[in-house]
Amino acid sequence: MRKLKNKFLIVFSVLLLLACYPGFVFGASAQQTEVYLGGMPAGFTLGLGGAQVVGICEVLTEDGTACPAKDAGLNLGEIIISFNGIKIGSAEDIDSVLSTFNGRKVELVVRQGSEKQKKEIIPAKDAVSGKYKLGVLIRDSVSGIGTVTYIEKGSLRFGSLGHPVAGEDGKLMDVNQGKIFRASIVNVVRGERGKAGELKGLFLNDKSIAVADKNCESGIYGNFNTDIDTKEFQSIPVSFDAQAGKASIYTTIDGIKPVEYSVSIIKVDKSHKQNKNFVLKITDKRLLEESGGIVQGMSGSPIVQNGKLIGAVTHVFLNDPTRGYGIGIENMLGN
């Protein structure tokens, strides 16, 4: 079985106005009145809870070519979660099971969205390696750069993005024990009218600093490790009383340190239940010169007004990257 290995860093999808988000971010309890301010970049690796089929290919056997996956009716996007009753959590698990395969028909359990289905497959023996293969290209996780919004005091519960992470089918991904790493922004692709820009970054090391356990309409949530040094974070009160007018966002477009940039909140819509509570415009000349406005990877950048955290950046307008949407902090807390 061949594995699909990503050789480059994936930046999570930006949904622009009409389906485009800009990047990633972190949550606390609804009673929390003060949190640690985010704005720093983070590398996200989100497990899929199995091995996802992202390609179907043929296997060269001694009797010619065969395609077990096609014969079994496997489809792109399906996640293999069980192989002959053995739980599958990664590509390595499939390798391990196939190494003991004796040539018989086996049963796979696959998941597509919330639906599960059983399928029978007969792995084919590769003529060159002598190993049995399913004839699929798979992945067991997705990776990207996002922005931390806040970290809850005490519990160290975090909230990020302000919007969900979706798969190729547009549906909410069922993330499984995702890991968060320190990251550094190394380049910025400027946003232009009709074309989204993006932050490009690198994971700084292979030691995770937090675990993600929830992907919902208002972002990615989880918990920081208890050994994190909270002295490096700024404490800030939260407020549900956002008003049209001057505000700031904290985001990182170079290195690891967040910088404050001026914005203007043009409209407040508290009735929106998900992630479009504000319309905001970037007014800071430094940020406009560097990025052109809001770009992929800025999602979750905290919005501060009158010294209080009121929300996070979520969307960018495709026809005007200087403008975008934001989510109210009340819709992120408690996740």
Side-chain angles (χ1 to χ4, degrees):
M1 183 190 67
R2 292 190 294 169
K3 300 177 187 175
L4 183 66
K5 295 184 178 179
N6 293 327
K7 297 297 184 180
F8 54 88
L9 185 64
I10 302 172
V11 177
F12 284 108
S13 301
V14 175
L15 295 181
L16 304 168
L17 183 66
L18 302 179
C20 205
Y21 284 123
F24 258 44
V25 179
F26 290 117
S29 72
Q31 289 74 38
Q32 193 81 14
T33 58
E34 198 167 86
V35 297
Y36 295 120
L37 181 66
M40 69 290 287
F44 290 70
T45 296
L46 305 178
L48 301 175
Q52 185 178 42
V53 178
V54 295
I56 294 177
C57 58
E58 295 182 332
V59 179
L60 179 61
T61 72
E62 293 180 352
D63 300 320
T65 58
C67 189
K70 183 177 180 181
D71 295 339
L74 287 178
N75 300 306
L76 297 181
E78 289 180 335
I79 297 176
I80 301 171
I81 60 175
S82 175
F83 188 110
N84 248 17
I86 299 174
K87 184 178 179 181
I88 299 298
S90 67
E92 286 72 20
D93 289 342
I94 292 184
D95 277 345
S96 178
V97 174
L98 284 173
S99 68
T100 63
F101 180 67
N102 58 11
R104 296 179 301 173
K105 182 182 292 185
V106 298
E107 181 182 83
L108 298 180
V109 177
V110 300
R111 186 183 77 236
Q112 182 109 49
S114 60
E115 297 183 2
K116 295 181 181 180
Q117 187 177 2
K118 295 180 180 180
K119 296 185 178 184
E120 292 185 332
I121 189 170
I122 303 177
K125 190 174 184 179
D126 183 79
V128 178
S129 67
K131 296 180 179 180
Y132 283 97
K133 299 182 178 182
L134 301 181
V136 292
L137 302 174
I138 63 174
R139 68 175 178 182
D140 52 24
S141 65
V142 293
S143 298
I145 293 292
T147 303
V148 178
T149 305
Y150 65 86
I151 304 170
E152 180 181 358
K153 289 187 172 182
S155 70
L156 299 183
R157 184 79 178 166
F158 73 79
S160 63
L161 297 191
H163 67 70
V165 177
E168 288 85 350
D169 58 2
K171 296 181 180 179
L172 217 64
M173 287 180 56
D174 182 18
V175 301
N176 180 57
Q177 291 300 302
K179 294 183 178 180
I180 287 77
F181 303 83
R182 292 188 182 278
S184 177
I185 303 302
V186 297
N187 189 30
V188 181
V189 178
R190 283 177 52 85
E192 300 176 359
R193 185 179 296 273
K195 183 179 179 181
E198 67 178 78
L199 299 178
K200 293 190 175 183
L202 297 174
F203 288 36
L204 291 181
N205 53 55
D206 58 3
K207 181 182 179 181
S208 64
I209 57 174
V211 173
D213 56 34
K214 185 176 183 179
N215 176 29
C216 63
E217 291 296 333
S218 61
I220 294 287
Y221 299 87
N223 289 85
F224 265 81
N225 299 341
T226 55
D227 60 357
I228 192 76
D229 184 6
T230 58
K231 293 180 181 178
E232 63 180 289
F233 304 125
Q234 174 186 343
S235 181
I236 188 171
V238 300
S239 173
F240 301 164
D241 187 28
Q243 304 290 332
K246 294 181 179 180
S248 300
I249 65 169
Y250 285 77
T251 195
T252 306
I253 61 174
D254 184 30
I256 62 174
K257 187 174 178 59
V259 175
E260 180 182 9
Y261 297 101
S262 61
V263 301
S264 178
I265 296 177
I266 299 172
K267 181 181 178 181
V268 177
D269 180 9
K270 295 184 178 180
S271 65
H272 198 283
K273 300 301 182 182
Q274 295 181 0
N275 46 36
K276 297 180 180 178
N277 301 126
F278 315 133
V279 175
L280 58 92
K281 179 179 176 62
I282 304 298
T283 57
D284 198 293
K285 292 182 179 180
R286 299 168 300 165
L287 189 56
L288 292 172
E289 290 175 359
E290 291 291 332
S291 68
I294 301 170
V295 299
Q296 298 180 57
M298 283 186 186
S299 287
S301 296
I303 304 171
V304 175
Q305 187 176 58
N306 298 322
K308 297 180 180 180
L309 177 63
I310 61 169
V313 178
T314 59
H315 306 60
V316 58
F317 289 6
L318 180 58
N319 64 348
D320 183 2
T322 68
R323 297 172 182 252
Y325 283 121
I327 182 174
I329 194 64
E330 62 270 25
N331 286 336
M332 295 186 71
L333 297 174
N335 283 291

